[in-house]
Amino acid sequence: MAVPIAVLDCDLLLYGRGHRTLDRFKLEDVTDEYLISMYGFPRQFIYYLVDLLGASLSRPTQRSRAISPETQVLAALGFYTSGSFQTRMGDAIGISQASMSRCVANVTEALVERASQFIHFPEDEAAVQSLKDDFYGLAGMPGVLGVVDCTHVAIKAPNAEDLSYVNRKGLHSLNCLMVCDARGVLLSAETHWPGSLPNCTVLQKAALTSQFETELHKDGWLLGDSSFFLRTWLMTPLHIPETPAEYRYNMAHSATHNVIERTFRTIRARFRCLDGSKGTLQYSPQKSSHIILACCVLHNISLEHGLDVWSSPATGHMEQPEEEYEQMESMDSEACRIRQELLLTHFS
């Protein structure tokens, strides 16, 4: 019976089934400078990822079982940080471009499986208070549990008939809703929303909204810009500030909310597959969403390891489309009351 070509591994064809692993590239044989230039991260960080993901990457059911976890991690990091399947990168670690693509898929899924381990809101009271204190130290805005915003990542067109991923600039994209803390650590990341959805609609449908309305902290709030509606747990700026207190509130809000914009720039600068300079992500929306989420997980892990907290701004071609929305006050009277109390208590 003929063997389906889809299950054949290029490297197994080249090197035979006697090779259980393809260890032609050794981490210890190269410098940290080389690893950072090629794969974006130093040796110890890569060793950590291999240890973290090794069990998932060694599953015997995977087609790329002949490729070591170390090589798979290097292949994926090379793609995430460069944005392309470069022939020289595959040659450097001794695998074909087809195998590199499978390595990226394997590592991406392994990281996505661990997303909740690295991307989450703090739960104990001390950690929550520390979160608020860090935000308060930025610009004097009290009670902040995170700053929220959306960013678009370009993807290839799913098909000619599906317009749900076409954003306001006429480009196909995913609209990604994220929340970060004062250091840029992601607390929430939903990367699967179609690019045609405006920010306020994404938030309305998001799991984040359900979390804050049914589970999370009642003694604090997120900060969002004017593309979102004011809610009891989401403070937005005033459309037309009139009093000194309202101006002070808006200034503190803007200075604090800027953290998420810096975080987006950092992620794009480190993971060039997302910044559009190498073109769009050439995957289905679901696979593209998983790649974005995998990069978010790596972003948080890198901050855990003290690596490059704020990068210089990226210069990618994929800019976030400007939202077209009508500035209007929330009809939620309780949310208006909470914001007014905040103005009187802290900014008057």
Side-chain angles (χ1 to χ4, degrees), residues 155-168 170-174 192-197 283-286:
I155 63 171
K156 73 173 183 179
N159 58 63
E161 291 76 30
D162 189 352
L163 300 180
S164 64
Y165 292 92
V166 179
N167 62 41
R168 294 187 182 278
L171 304 172
H172 289 82
S173 68
L174 290 168
H192 61 284
W193 297 104
S196 66
L197 295 180
Y283 298 92
S284 68
Q286 181 182 13

Coordinates of all heavy atoms in Angstrom, one line a residue, residues 155-168 170-174 192-197 283-286:
I155 N -2.6 39.0 8.3 CA -2.6 37.6 7.9 C -2.9 37.5 6.5 O -3.4 38.5 5.9 CB -3.6 36.8 8.7 CG1 -5.0 37.3 8.5 CG2 -3.2 36.8 10.2 CD1 -6.1 36.4 9.1
K156 N -2.7 36.4 5.8 CA -3.1 36.2 4.5 C -4.6 36.1 4.4 O -5.3 35.7 5.4 CB -2.4 34.9 3.8 CG -3.0 33.6 4.3 CD -2.4 32.5 3.6 CE -3.1 31.1 4.0 NZ -2.5 30.0 3.2
A157 N -5.2 36.4 3.2 CA -6.6 36.3 3.1 C -7.1 34.8 3.2 O -6.6 34.0 2.5 CB -7.0 36.8 1.7
P158 N -8.0 34.5 4.1 CA -8.5 33.1 4.2 C -9.1 32.6 2.9 O -8.8 31.5 2.5 CB -9.5 33.2 5.4 CG -9.2 34.5 6.1 CD -8.6 35.4 5.1
N159 N -10.0 33.4 2.3 CA -10.5 33.1 1.0 C -11.2 34.3 0.5 O -11.5 35.3 1.2 CB -11.5 31.9 1.1 CG -12.7 32.1 2.0 OD1 -13.5 33.0 1.8 ND2 -12.8 31.3 3.1
A160 N -11.5 34.3 -0.8 CA -12.1 35.5 -1.4 C -13.4 36.0 -0.9 O -13.7 37.1 -0.9 CB -12.2 35.3 -2.9
E161 N -14.2 35.0 -0.4 CA -15.5 35.3 0.1 C -15.6 35.8 1.5 O -16.6 36.5 1.9 CB -16.5 34.1 -0.1 CG -16.8 33.7 -1.5 CD -15.6 33.0 -2.2 OE1 -14.8 32.3 -1.5 OE2 -15.4 33.1 -3.4
D162 N -14.6 35.5 2.3 CA -14.6 35.8 3.7 C -14.1 37.2 4.0 O -12.9 37.4 3.9 CB -13.8 34.8 4.5 CG -14.0 34.9 6.0 OD1 -14.7 35.9 6.4 OD2 -13.5 34.1 6.8
L163 N -15.0 38.2 4.2 CA -14.6 39.5 4.4 C -14.5 39.9 5.9 O -14.2 41.0 6.3 CB -15.6 40.5 3.8 CG -15.8 40.3 2.3 CD1 -16.8 41.3 1.7 CD2 -14.5 40.5 1.5
S164 N -14.7 38.9 6.8 CA -14.7 39.2 8.2 C -13.4 39.6 8.7 O -13.3 40.2 9.8 CB -15.3 38.0 9.0 OG -14.4 36.9 8.9
Y165 N -12.3 39.2 8.0 CA -11.0 39.5 8.4 C -10.4 40.8 7.8 O -9.2 41.2 8.0 CB -10.0 38.4 8.2 CG -10.3 37.2 9.1 CD1 -11.2 36.2 8.6 CD2 -9.8 37.0 10.3 CE1 -11.6 35.1 9.4 CE2 -10.2 36.0 11.2 CZ -11.0 35.0 10.7 OH -11.4 33.9 11.5
V166 N -11.2 41.5 7.0 CA -10.8 42.7 6.3 C -11.0 43.9 7.3 O -12.1 44.2 7.6 CB -11.5 42.9 5.0 CG1 -11.0 44.2 4.3 CG2 -11.2 41.8 4.1
N167 N -9.9 44.6 7.7 CA -10.1 45.7 8.6 C -10.3 47.0 7.8 O -10.5 47.0 6.6 CB -8.8 45.8 9.5 CG -7.5 46.1 8.7 OD1 -7.5 46.9 7.7 ND2 -6.4 45.4 9.1
R168 N -10.4 48.1 8.6 CA -10.8 49.4 8.0 C -9.8 49.9 7.0 O -10.1 50.9 6.3 CB -11.1 50.4 9.1 CG -12.3 50.0 10.0 CD -12.7 51.1 10.9 NE -13.8 50.7 11.8 CZ -15.1 50.7 11.4 NH1 -15.4 51.2 10.2 NH2 -16.0 50.3 12.2
G170 N -8.5 47.9 4.7 CA -8.6 47.0 3.6 C -7.6 45.9 3.6 O -7.5 45.2 2.6
L171 N -7.0 45.7 4.8 CA -6.0 44.6 4.9 C -6.7 43.5 5.8 O -7.5 43.7 6.6 CB -4.8 45.1 5.6 CG -4.1 46.3 5.0 CD1 -3.0 46.8 5.9 CD2 -3.5 45.9 3.6
H172 N -6.2 42.3 5.5 CA -6.7 41.1 6.3 C -5.9 41.1 7.6 O -4.6 41.1 7.6 CB -6.5 39.8 5.5 CG -7.5 39.7 4.4 ND1 -7.3 40.2 3.2 CD2 -8.7 39.0 4.3 CE1 -8.3 40.0 2.4 NE2 -9.2 39.2 3.0
S173 N -6.6 40.9 8.7 CA -5.8 40.9 10.0 C -6.7 40.2 11.1 O -7.8 40.0 10.9 CB -5.5 42.4 10.4 OG -6.7 43.1 10.8
L174 N -6.0 39.9 12.1 CA -6.6 39.5 13.4 C -6.5 40.7 14.4 O -5.5 41.4 14.4 CB -5.9 38.3 14.0 CG -6.0 37.0 13.2 CD1 -5.0 36.0 13.8 CD2 -7.4 36.5 13.3
H192 N -7.6 35.9 18.5 CA -8.4 35.2 17.4 C -9.4 36.0 16.8 O -10.1 35.6 15.9 CB -9.0 33.9 18.0 CG -10.0 34.2 19.1 ND1 -9.6 34.5 20.4 CD2 -11.4 34.2 19.1 CE1 -10.7 34.6 21.1 NE2 -11.8 34.5 20.3
W193 N -9.6 37.3 17.2 CA -10.8 38.0 16.7 C -10.6 38.6 15.3 O -9.5 39.1 15.0 CB -11.1 39.2 17.6 CG -11.5 38.8 19.0 CD1 -10.7 38.8 20.1 CD2 -12.7 38.1 19.4 NE1 -11.4 38.2 21.2 CE2 -12.6 37.8 20.8 CE3 -13.9 37.8 18.7 CZ2 -13.6 37.2 21.5 CZ3 -14.9 37.2 19.4 CH2 -14.8 36.9 20.8
P194 N -11.6 38.4 14.4 CA -11.4 38.9 13.0 C -11.2 40.4 12.9 O -11.7 41.2 13.8 CB -12.8 38.6 12.4 CG -13.3 37.5 13.2 CD -12.9 37.8 14.6
G195 N -10.4 40.8 12.0 CA -9.9 42.2 11.9 C -11.0 43.2 11.6 O -10.9 44.4 11.8
S196 N -12.2 42.7 11.1 CA -13.3 43.6 10.8 C -14.0 44.1 12.0 O -14.7 45.2 12.0 CB -14.3 43.0 9.9 OG -14.9 41.9 10.6
L197 N -13.8 43.4 13.2 CA -14.5 43.8 14.4 C -13.8 45.0 15.0 O -12.6 45.0 15.3 CB -14.5 42.7 15.4 CG -15.3 41.4 15.0 CD1 -15.2 40.4 16.1 CD2 -16.7 41.7 14.7
Y283 N -0.7 31.8 7.1 CA -1.3 30.7 7.8 C -2.8 31.0 7.8 O -3.2 32.2 7.6 CB -0.8 30.4 9.2 CG 0.6 30.0 9.2 CD1 1.6 31.0 9.4 CD2 1.0 28.7 9.1 CE1 3.0 30.7 9.4 CE2 2.4 28.4 9.1 CZ 3.3 29.3 9.3 OH 4.7 29.0 9.3
S284 N -3.6 30.0 8.2 CA -5.0 30.2 8.4 C -5.2 31.1 9.6 O -4.3 31.3 10.4 CB -5.7 28.9 8.7 OG -5.3 28.3 9.9
P285 N -6.4 31.7 9.8 CA -6.6 32.6 11.0 C -6.3 31.8 12.3 O -5.7 32.4 13.2 CB -8.1 33.0 10.8 CG -8.3 33.0 9.4 CD -7.5 31.8 8.8
Q286 N -6.7 30.6 12.4 CA -6.5 29.8 13.6 C -5.0 29.6 13.9 O -4.6 29.8 15.0 CB -7.2 28.5 13.6 CG -7.0 27.7 14.9 CD -7.7 26.3 14.8 OE1 -8.1 25.8 13.7 NE2 -7.8 25.7 16.0

